[in-house]
Amino acid sequence: SDLLRLSFFDIWTCNEDRHSGNYNLLYKFENEGYRLYAIDHEACFNHQNFERGLVSIDYESSLIYSSFFSKLFRPSEFKNQAALTSLRQSLYICSLSCKEKIAITLKNIPQEWNVDIVEKEAELNKYLLNDEWFRDSWSTFLTFLQYYST
């Protein structure tokens, strides 16, 4: 389920650098199975190009297109609408939590990085942390699952 959630996250954040040719994932075997660790998020938000808004990644640039995804999921798993609805609700709650915590998160950016915190918060709220972008990202996610399932 972590890979499924990460697949949506990459669509939502327009991460152009996690795909079948570059997973940017580490995994560790633990008692209950494997644990995934997502790394290298610098290509999120279309490589930080907020001034033009966000443009969704394409199917071939998603983890859903990868052979790793196909090793963990059968296409028939995505026919269950109740499971998809539950996943959507969970992800939406996570997006609301991000919106609530954005100001605190941005304040933790080191000053030497020279990030305009006020501008960055405005960009994140305008382009990422809103219901319309979440709906668009969810629609893209479902479309990619449909491509995968056919």
Side-chain angles (χ1 to χ4, degrees), residues 12-129:
W12 182 57
T13 61
C14 303
N15 186 355
E16 299 173 322
D17 195 33
R18 188 179 353 262
H19 47 76
S20 61
N22 186 26
Y23 292 126
N24 282 331
L25 293 172
L26 300 175
Y27 60 94
K28 177 182 176 187
F29 183 73
E30 296 180 350
N31 292 337
E32 59 278 351
Y34 288 97
R35 180 171 173 90
L36 290 178
Y37 294 92
I39 60 169
D40 191 7
H41 305 307
E42 74 178 45
C44 286
F45 317 125
N46 301 123
H47 283 85
Q48 308 296 324
N49 290 315
F50 268 124
E51 65 275 1
R52 291 177 269 154
L54 295 175
V55 177
S56 186
I57 62 173
D58 61 20
Y59 177 56
E60 290 80 14
S61 299
S62 74
L63 283 174
I64 297 170
Y65 182 74
S66 71
S67 59
F68 185 53
F69 192 90
S70 65
K71 289 181 187 336
L72 297 177
F73 298 103
R74 292 182 315 278
S76 61
E77 292 181 68
F78 304 112
K79 305 288 185 210
N80 183 333
Q81 291 303 311
L84 288 172
T85 298
S86 177
L87 176 63
R88 184 189 186 284
Q89 290 170 339
S90 170
L91 293 168
Y92 183 69
I93 289 168
C94 289
S95 75
L96 292 177
S97 178
C98 289
K99 185 174 179 83
E100 290 172 6
K101 296 175 182 174
I102 196 64
I104 294 167
T105 302
L106 291 172
K107 286 180 184 174
N108 288 317
I109 294 175
Q111 287 184 353
E112 58 269 14
W113 289 8
N114 295 319
V115 174
D116 183 333
I117 301 299
V118 173
E119 179 183 327
K120 194 58 64 184
E121 184 173 2
E123 289 172 343
L124 286 164
N125 283 315
K126 180 177 181 181
Y127 297 119
L128 179 74
L129 300 171

